[in-house]
Amino acid sequence: MAVLYLGAHGISGEMDRTFFFSDVQCRGHYPSYVLREWENKGYNIRMEQGDLAVIEEGKADYLGFSYYMSVVSAYDDSENAPHFGKEVPNPYVKASDWGWQIDPVGMRYMLNVLAERYELPLMIVENGIGLHEDTDESGVVQDDERIAYFANHIGEMKKAIDEDGVTLMGYCPWGPIDIVSAGTGEMEKRYGFIHVDKNNKGEGTLKRTPKKSFYWYQKVIASNGDDLTIE
């Protein structure tokens, strides 16, 4: 079984450029828009006999993608501007301490875009939020902000399944335990359901303690996503 993982942190205005690689790997052929671009620019793409058959045979059976946030782009006419413009804050959503815009409706939108574009089963392989956190007097992290993030995103995911007809194979939050953030190299950018006693300097006992979200997500799993109530 073949699978393609697509990092979907947002969509630029140039949809073809955004989806080119997944278009090839999910459809099993080069899309017409890139063939036309190559022809217009005079590119001569060398292909060996059987190459196109290999692409067709190896196309993905389902699509896995990560979703954390949405991004808004504005036109940028500066000389060295990226092709998709510049990122600007979205005034209609909140953002994390690291500026990641919290947009659960955007995840439902992405599920629908990908389902329509590829007609394949989908899987959300990462979804979560990095937070600054401290334990309370009882030694537990009361991470209500994380619980709200997951409740809202899972709620939109359920709408995509129940109302929109998206075929979703599974959902995996990031992550089960606090680790060093791959994006910023920080231990204090915490994603997990389990707190690890360690700071950015590497100091701490490494004691593992379940957070409030740990028990909340247990309830979500036990109810197959039906119980998203926040206490």
Side-chain angles (χ1 to χ4, degrees):
M1 175 175 284
V3 58
L4 171 68
Y5 292 123
L6 176 67
H9 294 285
I11 303 177
S12 74
E14 299 184 11
M15 302 290 280
D16 293 343
R17 189 184 297 269
T18 298
F19 288 117
F20 168 63
F21 291 103
S22 53
D23 280 351
V24 174
Q25 295 178 30
C26 290
R27 297 175 178 177
H29 60 264
Y30 289 106
S32 59
Y33 63 80
V34 78
L35 297 176
R36 183 171 59 252
E37 179 182 356
W38 292 344
E39 181 180 0
N40 291 340
K41 293 182 177 181
Y43 296 162
N44 182 20
I45 306 300
R46 178 177 174 179
M47 299 185 191
E48 303 295 341
Q49 184 175 0
D51 283 354
L52 295 178
V54 170
I55 295 175
E56 169 63 29
E57 184 178 354
K59 66 182 178 181
D61 297 299
Y62 68 95
L63 176 65
F65 71 101
S66 303
Y67 183 89
Y68 290 92
M69 62 177 180
S70 63
V71 173
V72 174
S73 295
Y75 177 68
D76 187 349
D77 60 358
S78 60
E79 183 178 352
N80 297 318
H83 70 274
F84 50 80
K86 59 183 177 183
E87 292 185 13
V88 295
N90 183 345
Y92 299 102
V93 300
K94 296 180 179 179
S96 74
D97 292 342
W98 284 266
W100 288 29
Q101 297 178 137
I102 302 169
D103 186 5
V105 175
M107 187 169 77
R108 180 182 179 184
Y109 171 76
M110 276 302 305
L111 285 165
N112 277 274
V113 167
L114 295 172
E116 174 66 23
R117 193 173 186 102
Y118 300 125
E119 298 180 335
L120 288 174
L122 303 175
M123 182 173 181
I124 299 170
V125 298
E126 292 182 26
N127 175 235
I129 184 171
L131 299 172
H132 285 115
E133 295 175 334
D134 291 304
T135 55
D136 64 9
E137 62 278 2
S138 67
V140 176
V141 174
Q142 304 293 334
D143 55 340
D144 293 324
E145 189 174 353
R146 172 172 294 103
I147 293 172
Y149 177 95
F150 280 118
N152 291 329
H153 281 76
I154 295 172
E156 293 299 321
M157 178 182 70
K158 286 173 62 62
K159 292 178 185 176
I161 298 169
D162 297 338
E163 300 178 24
D164 306 332
V166 170
T167 301
L168 189 63
M169 298 172 60
Y171 170 83
C172 302
W174 183 269
I177 190 168
D178 289 343
I179 61 172
V180 175
S181 168
T184 65
E186 296 175 275
M187 187 68 196
E188 293 177 6
K189 186 180 184 183
R190 300 184 181 274
Y191 283 90
F193 296 122
I194 300 172
H195 177 265
V196 177
D197 180 27
K198 186 176 182 179
N199 61 24
N200 282 350
K201 297 179 181 180
E203 302 166 339
T205 65
L206 299 182
K207 179 182 177 181
R208 274 75 161 164
T209 306
K211 304 175 186 179
K212 182 178 180 180
S213 61
F214 177 92
Y215 302 103
W216 177 84
Y217 196 59
Q218 273 189 333
K219 177 184 65 174
V220 174
I221 294 173
S223 68
N224 196 28
D226 287 334
D227 187 354
L228 299 176
T229 55
I230 301 174
E231 299 176 357

